[in-house]
Amino acid sequence: YNYLQQAGLGDFFGNFKKVGIRFDNISGLSLQDYHRVGITSKQDKKKLFEVIQQIKRNVTPSPTQGT
């Protein structure tokens, strides 16, 4: 939620929840999915794209230790 709020997209949080999109699967969202959560303006699509890119950078799987 914080990522969305910081990008000015906090009002869409309920839509994400309603369609079953959680933080742990938001990075798999495609441009076609934006409409499902009510994001239709070019500016908001760009913001969401940037949020997803930020999440992908910050939530990377750590390498397996002990190998």
Side-chain angles (χ1 to χ4, degrees):
Y1 175 73
N2 290 334
Y3 283 107
L4 293 175
Q5 190 169 5
Q6 290 172 1
L9 299 172
D11 292 343
F12 294 100
F13 178 72
N15 297 353
F16 280 83
K17 195 171 179 181
K18 190 186 315 182
V19 297
I21 298 171
R22 301 180 320 269
F23 172 78
D24 60 344
N25 65 3
I26 195 173
S27 64
L29 214 62
S30 70
L31 288 171
Q32 292 79 18
D33 293 322
Y34 290 16
H35 185 72
R36 288 179 48 212
V37 294
I39 294 181
T40 56
S41 80
K42 187 175 183 176
Q43 182 180 9
D44 286 344
K45 287 178 182 181
K46 182 178 178 182
K47 288 179 184 178
L48 182 57
F49 179 80
E50 291 171 0
V51 166
I52 291 170
Q53 296 309 305
Q54 183 179 3
I55 290 170
K56 285 180 178 181
R57 285 190 301 271
N58 292 334
V59 183
T60 57
S62 50
T64 307
Q65 295 180 354
T67 56

